[in-house]
Structure formats: C-alpha cells, structure tokens
C-alpha cells in the first residue's frame, strides 16, 4: 500500500477527536442526500417525458400529411406513401371544431372523423375503449371518459353535434367511451365516422389529411423528408415532434434546470468536506512537519489530504446512488403517488431510470468532491517543516 493512501486512511478512520468523526459523517451524508435527490428527480422528469410521448403518439399519428383545401383522393396518396419503408400504416382523417349539446349543457370539442378499420393501424385509441365499440356505426360518436362524466353521458344516449357548416345541431348517439390516460384528450377529443364528419363540415369526398404511423417514431424527421420528396410541393408533412415542440422543449429545459439546482446540494456538502480538511490540516501541522522532515514531497502531502476528501465523496456518492436507484425502483414497482390529471395529464408519478443520466450524476458528484479537496491539500503541501516543528 502506498504511503499516501495508508496515512490518508489512518487520518480518516482513526480520528480521536469526535468533531472530525461527526463532520466526516455529515459530509458523507450531505453528498449522499444530494446524489439521491438528483437521481430521483431526474428519473421522474424522464418518466414524464416518456409517458407524455407514449400517450401523445398513442392518440395521434407520427406524421400528418395535409394539403391546402383538403385531399380529394386519399387512396392514391396512401398508395404512394406505402412506398416509404419506415411507414407501417396510414389512415385518412378530417377534424375541426364543434360543439356538443346535451339538454342545457354545451361543450366545445375537437371533432375528428376517422375510418375505424384504418385508424387502428395508425393510433392506439382503440386499445383504450372502456365501454361500447371503436367500430362506430352511422351517427355514432366516441367520447372520452372525462367528457362522459362532465356531460353525464352513457352508451346509447343521444346528443347534438353543432358544427360551423350547419345551421342546426345534428343528432348523434354515444357509441363508445375511451380512456387515453390524458385528461385534456379525454375531455376535448371526440371521434365520428369519416362520412359523418364530411357531412358535418360540408365536404364531399375530400379529407382533411392523412395520418401515418412509423416503425420508429424517433426517425420521424427522416421519414418526413422521404414523404415530402415522394408527394411533391402540394403537400405539407408535419411530425409529432413539431406538433409538440413547445411541450417537450419545456420538459427538457426543466430537466436541465433541476439538474443544476440539485447539484448545488452536492456543492454545499463538498464545501463541508473542504472545511473539514482545512481544520484537519491545522490540527495535523505537527504530523505534516514530521513527514516533510522525513523526506515526503509536496505531492505526497497533497495526495494524503486529497485522498481523504475523495474517499468521503465516493462513499457519499455510492450511498446516494444506491438509495436513489432503490427509491426509483420502489416507485416504479409500486406507483402509489397519484397526480391531478387536469394539471399533469398523468395518473401516477412516472419514473424512468436513464442509466446515462445516472452515470452523469455520479461522475459530477465525484468530480465536485475531488475539486473540493484541492485547496486544503495545496495548503497542507505549502507548510514549512521548520515552522511546523519549531515549538514541538
């Protein structure tokens, strides 16, 4: 064992003064709490990001193909899109603003006309049916669970749909109720057959656009370029990323902000490490003088005190990492923390452990701990052995 490591471990674990034992424990726990908090918060932020992406792409296509004035021949466009390797399914749609009227209650919604058979190849809305059927009959409407609760609607009950193109309400009946897991969608999004939507919005054979699903939703930009080249300048292609850029941009910014803020907890704990080492250098002046008199170099003295602080930081980091990952796995296995869906869109606190994020946190904690030892170690190496032993 090297001399520096032997002396450093002896100073660290054989402290006669209870002050140093307490400060070492506090420093270790401070680093551990900071690392644990950072791992848990970043995992929760990653969970929000993952769940929102899954729910958004589950209720909406990965690509939206639109054209000014609508698409008059959707079958021909869908046939051309099938040539793109990344595309696994496509379906026409028509959407617009409408109002639902039930007795004296009126609620504004986004009404989407779909072909139920083709829609199943593009979205996963059919998997969220909790009552009724996704295969709507003529003049049937599919509504979200929250909207059904607000308007007190059940399967088979009648309502009126009011669109800007019609002077009076059109009668419909509730054919199904779905649950997407997102409060906003369940309250404001409804589905009808494509033919009924065309009638409501005063269109003949045209559709508003074509939704496309991809094998890999993260390759949406690449698929967009291929679709644009295939369809020509008369069509506009929009990805799910572009449709929700502001939302995911805000989540990414919050994740960075939380990383910076919680890293300050680790910095505070490392200031405590630095303070403890400075006090120890003062107390060990005689020992430093003897070591220098026996031939120890300035580098050896620096290593002795740097190793002490580094070991405290590593111990705190490992303890915090274990506690943080354990808490994340517990929350992931037992999701008992409920969230208000009208604010967060998600039922339970989501947790997604990203190992690269965890590795970055560990490396940052160890680096900050190492930096905190530089000044105390430098100060110890600058002691003059003659001055240190003069009064001994």
């Amino acid at each position: 064992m090297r001399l520096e490591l032997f002396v450093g471990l002896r100073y660290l674990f054989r402290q006669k003064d209870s002050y140093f034992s307490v400060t070492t424990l506090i420093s270790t726990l401070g680093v551990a709490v900071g690392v644990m908090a950072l791992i848990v918060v970043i995992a929760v932020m990653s969970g929000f990001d993952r769940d929102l992406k899954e729910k958004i792409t589950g209720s909406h296509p990965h690509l939206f193909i639109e054209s000014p004035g609508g698409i008059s021949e959707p079958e021909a466009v869908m046939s051309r899109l099938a040539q793109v390797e990344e595309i696994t399914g496509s379906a026409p749609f028509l959407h617009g603003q409408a109002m639902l009227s039930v007795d004296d209650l009126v609620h504004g919604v986004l009404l989407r006309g779909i072909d139920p058979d083709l829609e199943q190849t593009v979205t996963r809305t059919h998997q969220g049916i909790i009552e009724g059927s996704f295969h709507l009959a003529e003049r049937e409407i599919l509504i979200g669970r929250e909207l059904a609760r607000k308007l007190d609607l059940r399967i088979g009950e009648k309502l009126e749909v009011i669109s800007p193109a019609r002077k009076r309400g059109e009668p419909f009946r509730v054919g199904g109720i779905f649950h997407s897991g997102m409060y906003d969608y369940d309250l404001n999004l409804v589905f009808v057959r494509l033919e009924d939507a065309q009638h409501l919005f005063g269109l003949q054979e045209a559709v508003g656009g074509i939704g496309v699903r991809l094998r890999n939703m993260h390759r949406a930009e690449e698929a967009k370029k291929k679709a644009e080249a295939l369809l020509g300048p008369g069509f506009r292609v929009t990805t799910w990323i572009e449709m929700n850029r502001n939302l995911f941009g805000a989540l990414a910014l919050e994740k960075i902000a939380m990383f910076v803020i919680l890293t300050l907890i680790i910095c505070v704990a490392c200031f405590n490490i630095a303070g403890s080492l400075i006090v120890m250098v003062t107390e060990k002046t005689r020992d430093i003088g003897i070591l220098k008199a026996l031939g120890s170099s300035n580098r050896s003295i620096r290593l002795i005190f740097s190793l002490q602080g580094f070991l405290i930081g590593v111990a705190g980091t490992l303890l915090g990492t274990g506690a943080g990952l354990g808490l994340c796995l517990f929350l992931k296995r037992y999701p008992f923390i409920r969230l208000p869906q009208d604010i967060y869109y998600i039922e339970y606190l989501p947790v997604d452990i990203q190992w690269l994020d965890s590795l970055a946190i560990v490396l940052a904690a160890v680096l900050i701990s190492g930096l905190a030892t530089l000044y105390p170690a430098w100060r110890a190496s600058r002691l003059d052995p003659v001055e240190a032993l003069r009064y001994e």
Side-chain angles (χ1 to χ4, degrees), residues 34-306:
V35 171
M36 180 186 71
L38 198 48
I39 286 177
V40 173
V41 170
I42 296 301
V44 170
M45 296 296 294
S46 298
F48 270 108
D49 186 72
R50 180 204 61 194
D51 279 19
L52 278 175
K53 286 179 180 178
E54 288 180 354
K55 286 181 169 59
I56 288 173
T57 55
S59 301
H60 290 283
H62 294 156
L63 294 182
F64 294 84
I65 314 294
E66 296 173 300
S67 179
I71 300 175
S72 58
E73 298 180 353
E75 293 81 6
V77 176
M78 292 164 59
S79 177
R80 292 163 65 185
L81 288 172
Q83 301 175 32
V84 180
E85 184 180 357
E86 289 84 356
I87 294 177
T88 60
S90 59
F93 67 85
L94 176 61
H95 60 201
Q97 297 294 327
M99 290 191 297
L100 303 186
S101 175
V102 183
D103 297 329
D104 295 331
L105 298 175
V106 177
H107 183 79
V109 296
L110 176 64
L111 185 141
R112 178 174 296 170
I114 60 171
D115 181 327
D117 293 326
L118 294 176
E119 187 70 16
Q120 293 184 65
T121 67
V122 175
T123 67
R124 294 193 296 269
T125 304
H126 62 283
Q127 297 178 1
I129 300 296
I130 55 178
E131 291 184 56
S133 173
F134 184 71
H135 294 276
L136 301 170
E138 185 178 355
R139 294 284 176 158
E140 282 190 341
I141 188 169
L142 177 65
I143 63 176
R145 185 180 68 177
E146 299 303 325
L147 181 59
R149 289 176 178 175
K150 181 176 181 178
L151 300 181
D152 193 23
L153 288 171
R154 294 173 180 82
I155 298 297
E157 293 190 351
K158 294 182 179 180
L159 53 85
E160 287 190 346
V161 179
I162 306 169
S163 69
R166 297 294 170 183
K167 295 181 179 180
R168 59 184 179 83
E170 299 286 337
F172 278 76
R173 62 183 292 273
V174 178
I177 298 174
F178 71 91
H179 175 54
S180 68
M182 296 186 69
Y183 179 86
D184 192 47
Y185 287 2
D186 289 355
L187 183 64
N188 299 306
L189 183 62
V190 300
F191 298 89
V192 298
R193 291 180 63 87
L194 187 59
E195 296 80 4
D196 291 333
Q198 289 171 332
H199 172 74
L200 285 168
F201 294 117
L203 299 176
Q204 299 300 322
E205 300 297 328
V207 299
I210 295 174
V212 171
R213 190 160 193 86
L214 306 175
R215 286 189 175 85
N216 185 348
M217 66 180 186
H218 299 291
R219 300 182 64 182
E221 288 295 335
E222 179 182 340
K224 172 186 174 179
K225 294 178 181 178
K226 292 182 179 180
E228 287 177 333
L230 186 66
L231 297 175
F235 294 87
R236 180 166 61 91
V237 183
T238 308
T239 69
W240 67 273
I241 300 172
E242 293 171 332
M243 297 284 287
N244 301 278
R245 190 181 301 278
N246 291 340
L247 175 61
F248 293 124
L251 285 175
L253 183 61
E254 288 180 4
K255 187 175 180 180
I256 294 172
M258 293 304 297
F259 183 90
V260 173
I261 291 171
L262 292 177
T263 300
L264 296 178
I265 298 177
I266 302 175
C267 291
V268 170
C270 290
F271 277 123
N272 196 22
I273 294 175
S276 301
L277 289 178
I278 290 173
V279 174
M280 182 175 289
V281 168
T282 304
E283 293 292 326
K284 301 296 183 180
T285 299
R286 175 176 175 273
D287 294 1
I288 295 170
I290 293 174
L291 287 172
K292 282 201 164 187
L294 292 174
S296 295
S297 65
N298 289 343
R299 179 177 176 277
S300 295
I301 301 299
R302 284 197 300 269
L303 279 175
I304 290 172
F305 290 95
S306 293

